[in-house]
Amino acid sequence: MFLSAGLGRLGELNPQHAGAYGAAAAAMVFIYTFFFAQTVLMIAFIYPTEIWPQEIRAFGNSYGVFGWAIGCGVTTLVIPSMFATLKWKTLIVFGAFNFASLPLVYYFFPETGGRTLEEINLLFAAKSPIVSANEAEFSRLLSEAGGNVAVAERRLMEEVDAKAGEQGRHGDEEVRLDGAKAQ
């Protein structure tokens, strides 16, 4: 993106070579798009299928794809206005967004490669969205289960079921409009 922006600027500064700079800028966009589609773009389709618990995986994945589609739609609608106003600087904005996403990915998206779905479920057991907290909770749960993922997963599910049951008991009590419990 930055190379394409620079080439676009050079085309403005050197109108006699604008065609060559424009072709090079377009090539940079195509190269970027090729590698983006092979790497980062797949996150919208693969990561949600891994991180959502099995009972809501399809629903969660639909949110991932929906978010991707909204982002693409907004970008498509905004690009013409951005190029009309910012010209070649539009590509710098997109390049900056790419770099700005790096801390987001590093701090909030734990690595799931090489892990089973059960391990990934344990990985997201922490209340914090920070990767280091998730990894610490994952290690704690595995350690308490003697390294057995199935035991750690069962304990986690029992804990979740107990909390859901506790909330259900409180929700089953009938409460009058004045706040007092019905007898």
Side-chain angles (χ1 to χ4, degrees), residues 94-117:
F94 288 125
F97 274 121
N98 283 328
F99 275 106
S101 71
L102 293 175
L104 174 77
V105 171
Y106 182 78
Y107 288 109
F108 295 101
F109 289 72
E111 177 58 56
T112 59
R115 291 184 165 152
T116 65
L117 291 176

Side-chain angles (χ1 to χ4, degrees), residues 63-143:
Y63 274 112
V65 174
F66 178 72
W68 168 81
I70 293 294
C72 286
V74 168
T75 302
T76 301
L77 292 173
V78 168
I79 282 178
S81 298
M82 288 180 73
F83 271 108
T85 304
L86 301 174
K87 300 186 180 9
W88 58 271
K89 294 174 192 157
T90 299
L91 297 169
I92 291 179
V93 170
F94 288 125
F97 274 121
N98 283 328
F99 275 106
S101 71
L102 293 175
L104 174 77
V105 171
Y106 182 78
Y107 288 109
F108 295 101
F109 289 72
E111 177 58 56
T112 59
R115 291 184 165 152
T116 65
L117 291 176
E118 292 78 15
E119 289 172 324
I120 293 170
N121 199 33
L122 293 173
L123 184 61
F124 287 94
K127 295 194 184 318
S128 172
I130 306 293
V131 168
S132 58
N134 284 289
E135 290 288 352
E137 181 68 5
F138 174 80
S139 296
R140 183 188 70 79
L141 291 169
L142 269 182
S143 176

Side-chain angles (χ1 to χ4, degrees), residues 54-72:
Q54 186 170 348
E55 54 275 0
I56 58 171
R57 185 165 292 135
F59 189 69
N61 193 40
S62 68
Y63 274 112
V65 174
F66 178 72
W68 168 81
I70 293 294
C72 286

Side-chain angles (χ1 to χ4, degrees), residues 12-75:
E12 283 182 1
L13 295 174
N14 302 299
Q16 70 277 15
H17 300 295
Y21 287 125
M28 291 299 120
V29 170
F30 280 105
I31 290 168
Y32 165 80
T33 302
F34 175 79
F35 286 104
F36 180 80
Q38 301 300 313
T39 57
V40 179
L41 181 60
M42 294 297 103
I43 292 171
F45 300 98
I46 296 171
Y47 203 71
T49 63
E50 294 178 341
I51 65 172
W52 288 96
Q54 186 170 348
E55 54 275 0
I56 58 171
R57 185 165 292 135
F59 189 69
N61 193 40
S62 68
Y63 274 112
V65 174
F66 178 72
W68 168 81
I70 293 294
C72 286
V74 168
T75 302

